[in-house]
């Protein structure tokens, strides 16, 4: 994709996209609105990006993504660690701004698989790595079956966070507990 001549104008369009997405949601964002807010012409935007989805993808790649910062400490209690992760993730995604961003990420993934893959690597990569590492530690400790696939388990947690984003609400404490309990019964060492 060709880069705009003015990095400041380009950043202005990307910032306008992030603000509009948070305030109005992806469906309400228009190229005309972005152009007006960024003080560039609609034609200029189309020279820089082929579509609204391409602007969104770049805005999300360069901006903050919901849940991308996995910074939970770990303990010797796998259930406690997984509950803490689910609570943090669904609470974070439950804010209006982050719900809009997460929903847009899901929409982009559905409409542009290549861009969706890049966005998902940026968002889900650190999350999956944290969960996989935590499950592998639990295997070594004898808490989890050796044949449990840590990446499959991590995918399930990312799917739960995506579902929470689609619903626009965090899981209740009871739902978090029930989810982690069911998972742990399935992977617990004999």
């Amino acid at each position: 994709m060709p880069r705009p001549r003015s990095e400041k104008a380009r950043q202005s369009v990307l910032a306008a996209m992030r603000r509009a997405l948070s305030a109005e949601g992806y469906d309400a964002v228009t190229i005309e609105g972005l152009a007006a807010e960024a003080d560039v012409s609609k034609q200029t935007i189309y020279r820089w990006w082929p579509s609204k989805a391409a602007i969104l993808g770049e805005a999300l790649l360069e901006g903050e993504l919901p849940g991308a910062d996995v910074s939970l400490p770990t303990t010797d209690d796998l259930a406690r660690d997984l509950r803490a992760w689910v609570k943090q993730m669904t609470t974070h995604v439950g804010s209006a701004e982050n719900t809009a961003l997460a929903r847009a990420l899901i929409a982009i993934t559905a409409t542009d698989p290549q861009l969706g893959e890049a966005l998902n690597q940026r968002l889900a990569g650190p999350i999956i790595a944290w969960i996989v590492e935590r499950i592998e530690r639990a295997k070594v400790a004898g808490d989890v079956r050796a044949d449990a696939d840590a990446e499959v388990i991590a995918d399930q947690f990312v799917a739960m966070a995506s579902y929470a984003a689609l619903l626009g609400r965090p899981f209740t404490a009871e739902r978090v507990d029930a989810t982690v309990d069911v998972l742990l019964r399935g992977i617990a060492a004999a």
Side-chain angles (χ1 to χ4, degrees):
M1 126 182 30
R3 291 285 182 200
R5 289 184 205 206
S6 167
E7 184 61 21
K8 184 177 178 181
R10 179 181 158 278
Q11 289 300 324
S12 181
V13 172
L14 296 176
M17 171 58 90
R18 287 188 288 273
R19 281 190 299 275
L21 179 66
S22 295
E24 304 166 15
Y26 181 69
D27 291 339
V29 175
T30 65
I31 298 298
E32 293 82 5
L34 295 175
E37 185 175 340
D39 198 28
V40 297
S41 73
K42 183 176 156 181
Q43 293 76 19
T44 298
I45 288 179
Y46 278 118
R47 277 197 305 273
W48 295 344
W49 295 279
S51 66
K52 179 173 89 167
I55 300 168
L56 174 63
E58 192 169 334
L60 291 176
L61 279 174
E62 291 188 11
E64 291 186 27
L65 290 173
D69 179 22
V70 178
S71 60
L72 280 177
T74 57
T75 69
D76 289 334
D77 185 340
L78 176 61
R80 182 183 310 154
D81 293 349
L82 293 177
R83 282 183 180 98
W85 182 84
V86 173
K87 287 176 186 174
Q88 176 182 342
M89 179 59 65
T90 62
T91 299
H92 184 73
V93 170
S95 75
E97 178 180 348
N98 290 334
T99 295
L101 288 172
R103 286 177 177 165
L105 174 63
I106 292 165
I108 288 300
T109 299
T111 59
D112 186 336
Q114 185 176 8
L115 182 56
E117 178 63 25
L119 289 167
N120 278 303
Q121 285 299 318
R122 178 160 178 240
L123 171 64
I127 294 166
I128 289 172
W130 183 87
I131 295 170
V132 166
E133 187 276 329
R134 187 59 191 92
I135 297 295
E136 293 299 334
R137 276 190 41 217
K139 285 182 183 181
V140 170
D143 297 330
V144 170
R145 292 189 339 246
D147 67 340
D149 188 326
E151 288 190 23
V152 169
I153 295 164
D155 284 345
Q156 296 308 307
F157 277 95
V158 171
M160 287 186 315
S162 299
Y163 182 67
L166 285 173
L167 294 177
R169 65 176 190 246
F171 284 174
T172 63
E174 294 80 18
R175 181 125 178 153
V176 169
D177 289 343
T179 301
V180 171
D181 289 346
V182 166
L183 172 80
L184 291 179
R185 277 195 303 267
I187 66 171

